[in-house]
Amino acid sequence: YVPKMIDHVEQLMATLVVTDQGDTGCELPTFAVKRPCYLVDLTNAEPKMDLEVGLENSLSINGEVFVDASTFVFEMPVGEVISMNLHGINLHPFHVHVNPLQIVSTPDDVYDGYFRQGDWQDTITLSESTATVRMQTDVFTGTQLIHCHNLAHEDLGMMVNTKVVGQEGARYTGARSIDPSCYLDDEPSGPPTIIQAGMVPGSCGGAKCCVSAGGPSCPPPP
């Protein structure tokens, strides 16, 4: 049941007009950055828990709707990797508070590659009904809300509490085994590592062109 109140979401909110300003599009540099330890790649990590999260049954999560602040559907340990198998995300966008989500299993081509295996996402919605995501329950204990990110559905109760338990401040100890270069909150991340220099707009013989960043003013003649 979807009430009449959500009809307004299809009304026009704005119109964007994009015009060509004559700028020269140049190739950007490729680079690598160090990641914080709470964002290391969890694709091959061993999860402490494997949870099933169903969004396909009407406006509920695993058949449950929000009751009150002291009712929890899952209890998870802090400082661990948690895996969630999501079902029904073609119907309801899925969002978790506090901890970032990494997609570790999804169809090959989703929204022209916007959702890809290995990506970190805030909210996940797919044309296919299932995907697997993982997260670290990093540092913080207490209530962690999960919900449908359609506001009308959420307001009708499609959200539930989970609870992270254990010693406040605990971290996933396997992070540096996955990525030795990851850094903690009080450690410097350092500058990015340039893999291949990009190009910048320039002028060659009075015409706009792209030149090597930090290189000669114009590319050599053919």
Side-chain angles (χ1 to χ4, degrees):
Y1 168 69
V2 180
K4 192 72 173 177
M5 62 178 284
I6 71 168
D7 286 353
H8 68 277
V9 299
E10 296 184 4
Q11 292 181 1
L12 179 66
M13 296 180 63
T15 300
L16 301 179
V17 179
V18 180
T19 58
D20 186 355
Q21 301 296 309
D23 295 328
T24 302
C26 298
E27 183 179 348
L28 296 174
T30 56
F31 59 92
V33 297
K34 292 182 179 179
R35 289 182 176 270
C37 290
Y38 63 83
L39 288 181
V40 298
D41 186 1
L42 302 177
T43 302
N44 296 313
E46 186 67 32
K48 186 72 172 181
M49 296 183 69
D50 220 331
L51 304 175
E52 301 294 327
V53 180
L55 309 171
E56 66 270 61
N57 295 323
S58 187
L59 300 179
S60 63
I61 298 177
N62 284 4
E64 304 286 342
V65 295
F66 185 81
V67 177
D68 54 46
S70 60
T71 300
F72 303 95
V73 297
F74 299 129
E75 190 172 281
M76 303 172 288
V78 68
E80 298 288 354
V81 175
I82 307 298
S83 183
M84 293 184 179
N85 300 309
L86 308 179
H87 307 276
I89 49 175
N90 58 325
L91 303 173
H92 302 281
F94 179 76
H95 177 67
V96 172
H97 286 207
V98 183
N99 295 305
L101 295 174
Q102 184 184 26
I103 302 172
V104 297
S105 174
T106 189
D108 293 334
D109 183 17
V110 182
Y111 298 123
D112 293 325
Y114 184 80
F115 293 101
R116 296 182 181 180
Q117 183 174 334
D119 284 354
W120 291 89
Q121 294 282 355
D122 174 80
T123 302
I124 298 173
T125 182
L126 304 176
S127 54
E128 300 290 332
S129 63
T130 62
T132 298
V133 298
R134 288 180 182 164
M135 66 180 180
Q136 290 185 43
T137 48
D138 186 62
V139 176
F140 302 108
T141 60
T143 300
Q144 177 178 284
L145 189 70
I146 64 176
H147 62 91
C148 172
H149 219 270
N150 181 320
L151 181 58
H153 294 181
E154 181 183 1
D155 284 348
L156 289 168
M158 197 172 182
M159 57 180 179
V160 293
N161 287 321
T162 66
K163 190 173 186 179
V164 180
V165 298
Q167 180 63 47
E168 181 83 6
R171 298 180 183 274
Y172 172 49
T173 57
R176 281 206 162 123
S177 297
I178 297 172
D179 181 0
S181 70
C182 76
Y183 63 92
L184 299 176
D185 301 341
D186 57 347
E187 298 173 341
S189 62
T193 300
I194 303 298
I195 299 172
Q196 180 176 336
M199 308 287 281
V200 296
S203 178
C204 304
K208 292 182 179 180
C209 65
C210 293
V211 299
S212 298
S217 57
C218 287

